[in-house]
Amino acid sequence: MDVLVVVDMQKDFISGALGTKEAVAIVPRVAEKIAQAKKAGKTVVFTRDTHHENYLQTQEGKNLPVPHCIRGTDGWEFPPQLAALAKARRAAVYEKSCFGSTRLASDLAAAPDVESVELAGLCTDICVVSNALLIKAVLPEVPVSVDARCCAGVTPEKHEAALLTMESCQISVRR
């Protein structure tokens, strides 16, 4: 099984509380990547950053005091074109309260037939790198890759730094 992991493509990271022009720019490319994955028979899963009203009292909230991805808010949702693709694919959605999804990594490790994992999404330097490293740690012999054209970081410089970090950890970066 080949897997595409779409990381945190939520409105708050695209054009909302923590949005960037780079994040806005990758939405059509991510939508096309999902469509191509469908044609290729890949399994597509999504992660969803999920916080609650007490976000500012959490460890993350104290370090990043910008409420975002609060469950049930518009910013927590996927943009319409990606939401439609997730629904059409009946894709699994892994809600996570921190940067990486340990449940996703565990599920992939338990699957008997994972042949490759590719990641795309937001933010390269936080959640994409966290999930990529978790997956590589539990599946060291499985090729793990990141499509840099379908990712955006907090800043372009942090995006590049995260890509270099992943390359150092034997994660293939497609530019």
Side-chain angles (χ1 to χ4, degrees), residues 1-163:
M1 155 174 76
D2 296 311
V3 180
L4 172 63
V5 178
V6 181
V7 179
D8 296 1
M9 288 296 296
Q10 294 163 261
K11 291 179 182 180
D12 269 348
F13 291 128
I14 296 168
S15 58
L18 296 171
T20 65
K21 66 181 182 194
E22 293 83 10
V24 171
I26 71 165
V27 173
R29 291 193 295 264
V30 172
E32 179 59 27
K33 179 162 277 301
I34 295 166
Q36 289 174 355
K38 178 182 180 181
K39 288 179 188 171
K42 290 184 179 184
T43 298
V44 179
V45 300
F46 288 73
T47 67
R48 176 179 272 166
D49 199 43
T50 301
H51 300 294
H52 302 280
E53 293 299 326
N54 70 337
Y55 172 75
L56 292 175
Q57 284 73 52
T58 68
Q59 182 70 30
E60 181 181 328
K62 291 174 184 173
N63 288 288
L64 177 63
V66 179
H68 64 280
C69 298
I70 306 298
R71 177 191 289 280
T73 65
D74 189 58
W76 178 71
E77 300 292 344
F78 300 126
Q81 63 270 48
L82 299 183
L85 288 168
K87 185 175 182 180
R89 299 268 313 159
R90 295 186 178 145
V93 178
Y94 287 82
E95 290 187 12
K96 57 187 192 53
S97 62
C98 63
F99 309 128
S101 175
T102 55
R103 189 170 65 98
L104 170 60
S106 295
D107 286 356
L108 290 172
D113 58 348
V114 176
E115 294 182 22
S116 71
V117 179
E118 182 176 23
L119 295 95
L122 302 167
C123 293
T124 318
D125 51 309
I126 302 172
C127 295
V128 174
V129 69
S130 296
N131 282 287
L133 292 172
L134 280 169
I135 292 166
K136 190 63 178 174
V138 299
L139 295 170
E141 296 302 320
V142 171
V144 176
S145 63
V146 173
D147 187 338
R149 297 160 300 166
C150 291
C151 293
V154 173
T155 66
E157 296 78 18
K158 289 185 177 189
H159 168 77
E160 282 301 319
L163 295 174

